[in-house]
Amino acid sequence: MRLLLLGGTGEARALAARLHPDVDVVSSLAGRVPDPALPVGTVRIGGFGGAAGLRTWLRDNDIDVVVDATHPFAATITANAAQACRAEGVPHVVLARPAWPPGAAIVVDSDSDAARVVAERGWERVFLTTGRSGTRAFVDVDAWFLIRAVTAPESSSLPRRHELVLSRGPYRVGDERELLQRWRIDALVTKNSGGDMTRAKLEAADDLGVTVVMVDRPRLPDGVEVVSTVDDAVRWVSARR
């Protein structure tokens, strides 16, 4: 069996390790993060050229099955994979880690909606954890931002008043609580990425009464099969060998 694993997440790396070497896994990374954590097995980096390009790549590389274990907000590649696999008749599953329960968070549909809420509420000091591509919506918001990301956003995408912290999880609740207190944070803005790597900030915010604005996940394409754990993905692949 030859499997294309659309990756870039901890779940994708864990799945590649579980399947290797019994399955010929080709892990594909988008290439947006310098020095990414690499999975075991064959790795390709870069895009496919949309759904049509991915369809051709599947055919040219004799791919038997596809597992999409990309980030929950990687909506474009997820849509392209669903379309390409449907057209080629290639079995395809999305490994989507469970979303965080929103609790008392203000749930919005987009980064732009989150920026509007921040502006309307008039918060002075905001912890922004929407990733390097999520800062652009906040450029014109009159607030001070503590921005945490794995890689630095482009300078043109940064708000005028900010502090940039580059780091990668996992994070601990105590450390997150100390960070929120040290920087006197009024509100936390995050995407509903799910998983344990960055959940601690939500617990810390709840402990301190810091308001959370949470960007909801994009909808998955209609008709796709979904599993929620690496174990489930292993079983799905095994059933097709």
Side-chain angles (χ1 to χ4, degrees), residues 184-228:
R184 307 190 312 279
I185 297 299
D186 301 313
L188 161 67
V189 180
T190 184
K191 292 182 175 179
N192 193 340
S193 301
D196 295 328
M197 288 276 285
T198 60
R199 184 201 305 270
K201 62 190 172 187
L202 300 177
E203 297 181 37
D206 185 59
D207 289 346
L208 297 173
V210 172
T211 303
V212 176
V213 180
M214 185 177 291
V215 181
D216 204 7
R217 293 182 177 189
R219 284 186 54 189
L220 290 171
D222 292 338
V224 298
E225 190 171 355
V226 182
V227 295
S228 59

Short mmCIF file of all heavy atoms in Angstrom, two decimals, residues 184-228:
data_model
loop_
_atom_site.label_atom_id
_atom_site.label_comp_id
_atom_site.label_asym_id
_atom_site.label_seq_id
_atom_site.Cartn_x
_atom_site.Cartn_y
_atom_site.Cartn_z
N ARG A 184 -0.39 41.40 31.93
CA ARG A 184 -1.65 42.07 32.28
C ARG A 184 -2.68 41.96 31.14
O ARG A 184 -3.24 42.94 30.67
CB ARG A 184 -1.41 43.53 32.65
CG ARG A 184 -0.34 43.71 33.71
CD ARG A 184 -0.27 45.13 34.24
NE ARG A 184 -0.24 46.15 33.22
CZ ARG A 184 0.84 46.52 32.54
NH1 ARG A 184 2.01 45.90 32.78
NH2 ARG A 184 0.78 47.46 31.64
N ILE A 185 -2.91 40.72 30.72
CA ILE A 185 -3.77 40.45 29.56
C ILE A 185 -5.25 40.58 29.93
O ILE A 185 -5.70 40.05 30.95
CB ILE A 185 -3.48 39.04 29.01
CG1 ILE A 185 -2.04 38.95 28.51
CG2 ILE A 185 -4.48 38.67 27.92
CD1 ILE A 185 -1.70 39.90 27.38
N ASP A 186 -5.99 41.31 29.08
CA ASP A 186 -7.43 41.49 29.26
C ASP A 186 -8.24 40.44 28.52
O ASP A 186 -9.34 40.07 28.95
CB ASP A 186 -7.87 42.87 28.75
CG ASP A 186 -7.17 44.01 29.45
OD1 ASP A 186 -7.10 43.97 30.69
OD2 ASP A 186 -6.68 44.93 28.75
N ALA A 187 -7.74 39.97 27.36
CA ALA A 187 -8.49 39.03 26.53
C ALA A 187 -7.53 38.14 25.75
O ALA A 187 -6.43 38.58 25.37
CB ALA A 187 -9.42 39.76 25.57
N LEU A 188 -7.94 36.92 25.53
CA LEU A 188 -7.19 35.95 24.73
C LEU A 188 -7.96 35.69 23.45
O LEU A 188 -9.15 35.40 23.48
CB LEU A 188 -7.03 34.64 25.52
CG LEU A 188 -6.67 33.37 24.73
CD1 LEU A 188 -5.27 33.48 24.15
CD2 LEU A 188 -6.78 32.14 25.62
N VAL A 189 -7.27 35.78 22.30
CA VAL A 189 -7.87 35.45 21.01
C VAL A 189 -7.16 34.23 20.45
O VAL A 189 -5.92 34.22 20.31
CB VAL A 189 -7.76 36.61 20.01
CG1 VAL A 189 -8.40 36.23 18.67
CG2 VAL A 189 -8.42 37.88 20.56
N THR A 190 -7.93 33.20 20.15
CA THR A 190 -7.34 31.94 19.68
C THR A 190 -8.23 31.29 18.64
O THR A 190 -9.43 31.58 18.57
CB THR A 190 -7.14 30.97 20.86
OG1 THR A 190 -6.49 29.78 20.40
CG2 THR A 190 -8.48 30.57 21.50
N LYS A 191 -7.65 30.43 17.85
CA LYS A 191 -8.43 29.57 16.97
C LYS A 191 -8.74 28.27 17.71
O LYS A 191 -7.96 27.83 18.55
CB LYS A 191 -7.66 29.27 15.68
CG LYS A 191 -7.49 30.50 14.80
CD LYS A 191 -6.77 30.16 13.50
CE LYS A 191 -6.73 31.38 12.59
NZ LYS A 191 -6.02 31.12 11.32
N ASN A 192 -9.85 27.65 17.38
CA ASN A 192 -10.21 26.39 18.03
C ASN A 192 -9.45 25.25 17.37
O ASN A 192 -10.01 24.45 16.62
CB ASN A 192 -11.72 26.15 17.96
CG ASN A 192 -12.15 25.02 18.89
OD1 ASN A 192 -11.34 24.20 19.29
ND2 ASN A 192 -13.41 24.99 19.23
N SER A 193 -8.17 25.19 17.70
CA SER A 193 -7.30 24.17 17.09
C SER A 193 -7.51 22.80 17.71
O SER A 193 -7.23 21.79 17.06
CB SER A 193 -5.83 24.58 17.25
OG SER A 193 -5.59 25.82 16.63
N GLY A 194 -7.98 22.75 18.96
CA GLY A 194 -8.13 21.47 19.62
C GLY A 194 -6.79 20.88 20.03
O GLY A 194 -5.73 21.46 19.80
N GLY A 195 -6.84 19.72 20.67
CA GLY A 195 -5.62 19.04 21.07
C GLY A 195 -5.07 19.55 22.38
O GLY A 195 -5.58 20.49 22.98
N ASP A 196 -3.99 18.89 22.83
CA ASP A 196 -3.41 19.19 24.14
C ASP A 196 -2.22 20.14 24.09
O ASP A 196 -1.82 20.68 25.13
CB ASP A 196 -2.96 17.88 24.80
CG ASP A 196 -4.14 16.96 25.12
OD1 ASP A 196 -5.23 17.49 25.42
OD2 ASP A 196 -3.95 15.72 25.06
N MET A 197 -1.63 20.35 22.92
CA MET A 197 -0.40 21.14 22.83
C MET A 197 -0.58 22.55 23.38
O MET A 197 0.31 23.10 24.04
CB MET A 197 0.07 21.20 21.38
CG MET A 197 0.62 19.90 20.85
SD MET A 197 2.36 19.67 21.25
CE MET A 197 3.11 20.81 20.10
N THR A 198 -1.72 23.18 23.10
CA THR A 198 -1.91 24.58 23.47
C THR A 198 -3.18 24.80 24.29
O THR A 198 -3.60 25.94 24.47
CB THR A 198 -1.96 25.47 22.21
OG1 THR A 198 -3.05 25.06 21.37
CG2 THR A 198 -0.66 25.36 21.42
N ARG A 199 -3.77 23.74 24.80
CA ARG A 199 -5.00 23.86 25.59
C ARG A 199 -4.77 24.64 26.89
O ARG A 199 -5.69 25.27 27.42
CB ARG A 199 -5.54 22.47 25.94
CG ARG A 199 -6.86 22.49 26.67
CD ARG A 199 -7.08 21.18 27.43
NE ARG A 199 -6.98 20.02 26.57
CZ ARG A 199 -8.01 19.49 25.91
NH1 ARG A 199 -9.21 20.02 26.04
NH2 ARG A 199 -7.84 18.43 25.15
N ALA A 200 -3.54 24.62 27.42
CA ALA A 200 -3.27 25.21 28.73
C ALA A 200 -3.66 26.68 28.82
O ALA A 200 -4.07 27.16 29.88
CB ALA A 200 -1.79 25.04 29.08
N LYS A 201 -3.55 27.41 27.71
CA LYS A 201 -3.89 28.84 27.76
C LYS A 201 -5.36 29.05 28.10
O LYS A 201 -5.72 30.04 28.75
CB LYS A 201 -3.56 29.51 26.42
CG LYS A 201 -4.33 28.95 25.24
CD LYS A 201 -3.80 29.47 23.92
CE LYS A 201 -4.46 28.76 22.75
NZ LYS A 201 -3.84 29.15 21.47
N LEU A 202 -6.22 28.12 27.66
CA LEU A 202 -7.65 28.23 27.95
C LEU A 202 -7.91 28.01 29.43
O LEU A 202 -8.72 28.72 30.05
CB LEU A 202 -8.45 27.24 27.12
CG LEU A 202 -8.34 27.39 25.60
CD1 LEU A 202 -9.14 26.29 24.91
CD2 LEU A 202 -8.83 28.76 25.16
N GLU A 203 -7.23 27.02 30.01
CA GLU A 203 -7.39 26.77 31.44
C GLU A 203 -6.87 27.94 32.26
O GLU A 203 -7.48 28.35 33.26
CB GLU A 203 -6.67 25.48 31.83
CG GLU A 203 -7.22 24.23 31.14
CD GLU A 203 -6.49 22.97 31.57
OE1 GLU A 203 -6.13 22.88 32.76
OE2 GLU A 203 -6.28 22.10 30.71
N ALA A 204 -5.73 28.51 31.84
CA ALA A 204 -5.17 29.65 32.54
C ALA A 204 -6.10 30.86 32.46
O ALA A 204 -6.30 31.57 33.45
CB ALA A 204 -3.79 29.99 31.97
N ALA A 205 -6.66 31.10 31.27
CA ALA A 205 -7.58 32.22 31.10
C ALA A 205 -8.81 32.04 31.97
O ALA A 205 -9.30 32.99 32.59
CB ALA A 205 -7.97 32.35 29.63
N ASP A 206 -9.32 30.82 32.05
CA ASP A 206 -10.49 30.55 32.89
C ASP A 206 -10.16 30.78 34.36
O ASP A 206 -10.96 31.37 35.10
CB ASP A 206 -10.95 29.11 32.66
CG ASP A 206 -12.25 28.80 33.40
OD1 ASP A 206 -13.26 29.46 33.15
OD2 ASP A 206 -12.22 27.89 34.26
N ASP A 207 -8.98 30.35 34.78
CA ASP A 207 -8.57 30.54 36.18
C ASP A 207 -8.54 32.02 36.55
O ASP A 207 -8.88 32.39 37.69
CB ASP A 207 -7.18 29.94 36.41
CG ASP A 207 -7.18 28.42 36.39
OD1 ASP A 207 -8.28 27.83 36.45
OD2 ASP A 207 -6.09 27.83 36.28
N LEU A 208 -8.09 32.86 35.61
CA LEU A 208 -7.88 34.28 35.90
C LEU A 208 -9.05 35.18 35.48
O LEU A 208 -8.99 36.39 35.67
CB LEU A 208 -6.60 34.76 35.20
CG LEU A 208 -5.30 34.08 35.64
CD1 LEU A 208 -4.15 34.51 34.76
CD2 LEU A 208 -5.01 34.39 37.10
N GLY A 209 -10.09 34.58 34.91
CA GLY A 209 -11.22 35.38 34.46
C GLY A 209 -10.93 36.21 33.23
O GLY A 209 -11.57 37.24 33.00
N VAL A 210 -9.97 35.77 32.40
CA VAL A 210 -9.64 36.47 31.16
C VAL A 210 -10.61 36.03 30.06
O VAL A 210 -10.80 34.83 29.84
CB VAL A 210 -8.18 36.16 30.73
CG1 VAL A 210 -7.89 36.71 29.34
CG2 VAL A 210 -7.20 36.73 31.76
N THR A 211 -11.23 36.98 29.40
CA THR A 211 -12.19 36.66 28.35
C THR A 211 -11.49 36.00 27.16
O THR A 211 -10.40 36.41 26.77
CB THR A 211 -12.91 37.93 27.86
OG1 THR A 211 -13.55 38.56 28.97
CG2 THR A 211 -13.95 37.60 26.81
N VAL A 212 -12.13 34.98 26.59
CA VAL A 212 -11.59 34.27 25.43
C VAL A 212 -12.47 34.54 24.21
O VAL A 212 -13.69 34.41 24.28
CB VAL A 212 -11.53 32.75 25.69
CG1 VAL A 212 -11.05 32.01 24.43
CG2 VAL A 212 -10.62 32.45 26.87
N VAL A 213 -11.84 34.92 23.12
CA VAL A 213 -12.50 35.02 21.82
C VAL A 213 -11.97 33.88 20.97
O VAL A 213 -10.75 33.78 20.75
CB VAL A 213 -12.23 36.37 21.14
CG1 VAL A 213 -12.94 36.42 19.78
CG2 VAL A 213 -12.67 37.53 22.02
N MET A 214 -12.85 32.99 20.53
CA MET A 214 -12.43 31.76 19.85
C MET A 214 -12.97 31.73 18.42
O MET A 214 -14.17 31.80 18.20
CB MET A 214 -12.92 30.54 20.63
CG MET A 214 -12.44 29.21 20.09
SD MET A 214 -13.00 27.82 21.11
CE MET A 214 -12.03 28.06 22.61
N VAL A 215 -12.04 31.61 17.46
CA VAL A 215 -12.43 31.49 16.06
C VAL A 215 -12.82 30.05 15.78
O VAL A 215 -12.03 29.13 16.00
CB VAL A 215 -11.28 31.92 15.12
CG1 VAL A 215 -11.71 31.81 13.66
CG2 VAL A 215 -10.83 33.36 15.45
N ASP A 216 -14.04 29.86 15.31
CA ASP A 216 -14.55 28.52 15.05
C ASP A 216 -13.86 27.91 13.85
O ASP A 216 -13.35 28.62 12.96
CB ASP A 216 -16.06 28.60 14.81
CG ASP A 216 -16.77 27.29 15.09
OD1 ASP A 216 -16.11 26.36 15.59
OD2 ASP A 216 -17.98 27.19 14.83
N ARG A 217 -13.87 26.59 13.79
CA ARG A 217 -13.23 25.88 12.68
C ARG A 217 -14.04 26.03 11.38
O ARG A 217 -15.27 26.11 11.41
CB ARG A 217 -13.13 24.39 12.98
CG ARG A 217 -12.21 24.05 14.11
CD ARG A 217 -12.15 22.55 14.30
NE ARG A 217 -11.20 22.19 15.35
CZ ARG A 217 -10.82 20.95 15.60
NH1 ARG A 217 -11.31 19.95 14.91
NH2 ARG A 217 -9.95 20.71 16.57
N PRO A 218 -13.33 26.02 10.24
CA PRO A 218 -14.06 25.95 8.97
C PRO A 218 -14.74 24.59 8.84
O PRO A 218 -14.26 23.59 9.39
CB PRO A 218 -12.97 26.13 7.92
CG PRO A 218 -11.70 25.72 8.61
CD PRO A 218 -11.88 26.07 10.06
N ARG A 219 -15.85 24.57 8.13
CA ARG A 219 -16.56 23.31 7.91
C ARG A 219 -15.74 22.38 7.03
O ARG A 219 -15.07 22.82 6.08
CB ARG A 219 -17.90 23.56 7.23
CG ARG A 219 -18.98 24.11 8.12
CD ARG A 219 -20.29 24.17 7.36
NE ARG A 219 -20.64 22.88 6.78
CZ ARG A 219 -21.65 22.68 5.93
NH1 ARG A 219 -22.38 23.71 5.53
NH2 ARG A 219 -21.90 21.48 5.46
N LEU A 220 -15.80 21.10 7.34
CA LEU A 220 -15.17 20.11 6.46
C LEU A 220 -16.01 19.94 5.21
O LEU A 220 -17.23 20.18 5.22
CB LEU A 220 -15.04 18.77 7.19
CG LEU A 220 -14.02 18.72 8.33
CD1 LEU A 220 -14.15 17.42 9.11
CD2 LEU A 220 -12.61 18.88 7.79
N PRO A 221 -15.40 19.53 4.09
CA PRO A 221 -16.17 19.30 2.87
C PRO A 221 -17.27 18.27 3.09
O PRO A 221 -17.11 17.33 3.89
CB PRO A 221 -15.12 18.78 1.88
CG PRO A 221 -13.81 19.29 2.41
CD PRO A 221 -13.95 19.30 3.90
N ASP A 222 -18.37 18.44 2.41
CA ASP A 222 -19.48 17.50 2.53
C ASP A 222 -19.05 16.10 2.10
O ASP A 222 -18.32 15.92 1.11
CB ASP A 222 -20.65 17.95 1.65
CG ASP A 222 -21.30 19.23 2.17
OD1 ASP A 222 -21.15 19.53 3.37
OD2 ASP A 222 -21.96 19.92 1.36
N GLY A 223 -19.50 15.11 2.85
CA GLY A 223 -19.32 13.73 2.46
C GLY A 223 -18.00 13.09 2.82
O GLY A 223 -17.80 11.90 2.53
N VAL A 224 -17.07 13.84 3.45
CA VAL A 224 -15.78 13.23 3.77
C VAL A 224 -15.91 12.34 5.00
O VAL A 224 -16.72 12.60 5.90
CB VAL A 224 -14.67 14.28 4.01
CG1 VAL A 224 -14.43 15.10 2.77
CG2 VAL A 224 -14.99 15.16 5.20
N GLU A 225 -15.12 11.28 5.03
CA GLU A 225 -15.07 10.41 6.20
C GLU A 225 -14.09 11.02 7.20
O GLU A 225 -13.04 11.52 6.81
CB GLU A 225 -14.63 9.00 5.79
CG GLU A 225 -14.76 7.97 6.89
CD GLU A 225 -14.52 6.56 6.40
OE1 GLU A 225 -14.33 6.36 5.18
OE2 GLU A 225 -14.52 5.64 7.26
N VAL A 226 -14.44 10.97 8.48
CA VAL A 226 -13.65 11.64 9.51
C VAL A 226 -13.37 10.67 10.65
O VAL A 226 -14.26 9.94 11.09
CB VAL A 226 -14.38 12.88 10.06
CG1 VAL A 226 -13.51 13.59 11.11
CG2 VAL A 226 -14.74 13.84 8.94
N VAL A 227 -12.12 10.67 11.12
CA VAL A 227 -11.75 9.98 12.36
C VAL A 227 -11.12 11.01 13.27
O VAL A 227 -10.65 12.06 12.82
CB VAL A 227 -10.78 8.80 12.12
CG1 VAL A 227 -11.45 7.72 11.29
CG2 VAL A 227 -9.49 9.29 11.44
N SER A 228 -11.10 10.73 14.58
CA SER A 228 -10.66 11.76 15.52
C SER A 228 -9.38 11.43 16.27
O SER A 228 -8.86 12.30 16.97
CB SER A 228 -11.77 12.02 16.55
OG SER A 228 -12.10 10.84 17.27
#
